[in-house]
């Protein structure tokens, strides 16, 4: 189970860091989408990016100390749940053009839950 936990944590850390850096720097299409389409402020966008980057670091460290990895993955579940709510309010799940981008937080949230489960089983 350790290998599954390590692989899920590493993949999730890679995704979280890749999503967090553009939000911290406010560069690229994702921060623009958050601010214009979903109505997220620039400061909240940066905060989300910092949370994702911190979770990435916690997930990598959590490979060696599982409680930290579990906490980092749980934090990402909360971040992704918030993203699902924002996308739902914007009507992205009903819009076929926007649905593809809105599914990402659901999938990553499920991966974060799987990382929690596998890490918890290795303790």
């Amino acid at each position: 189970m350790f290998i599954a936990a390590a692989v899920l944590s590493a993949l999730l850390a890679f995704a979280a860091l890749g999503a967090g850096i553009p939000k911290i720097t406010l560069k690229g299409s994702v921060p623009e989408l958050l601010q214009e389409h979903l109505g997220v402020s620039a400061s909240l966008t940066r905060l989300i990016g910092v949370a994702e980057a911190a979770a990435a670091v916690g997930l990598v460290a959590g490979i060696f100390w599982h409680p930290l990895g579990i906490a980092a993955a749980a934090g990402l579940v909360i971040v992704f749940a918030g993203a699902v709510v924002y996308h739902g309010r914007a009507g992205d799940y009903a819009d076929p053009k926007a649905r593809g981008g809105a599914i990402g937080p659901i999938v990553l949230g499920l991966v974060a839950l799987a990382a929690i489960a596998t890490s918890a089983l290795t303790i």
Side-chain angles (χ1 to χ4, degrees):
M1 199 54 71
F2 173 77
I3 293 172
V7 168
L8 284 172
S9 293
L11 289 174
L12 191 57
F14 182 71
L17 190 61
I21 299 254
K23 291 174 188 153
I24 292 170
T25 61
L26 294 177
K27 294 185 180 175
S29 61
V30 173
E32 290 175 10
L33 171 78
L34 289 174
Q35 293 174 17
E36 295 171 9
H37 180 66
L38 299 180
V40 178
S41 68
S43 60
L44 182 56
T45 300
R46 278 201 170 114
L47 180 64
I48 293 167
V50 168
E52 290 172 340
V57 172
L59 284 164
V60 172
I63 292 172
F64 306 102
W65 190 50
H66 297 295
L68 181 59
I70 291 169
L76 280 178
V77 168
I78 293 167
V79 169
F80 295 139
V84 169
V85 169
Y86 268 87
H87 282 289
R89 287 182 186 163
D92 290 346
Y93 298 110
D95 181 7
K97 293 179 183 177
R99 189 177 304 142
I103 295 296
I106 295 172
V107 172
L108 290 173
L110 292 172
V111 172
L113 288 173
I116 291 170
T118 55
S119 292
L121 291 173
T122 59
I123 294 179

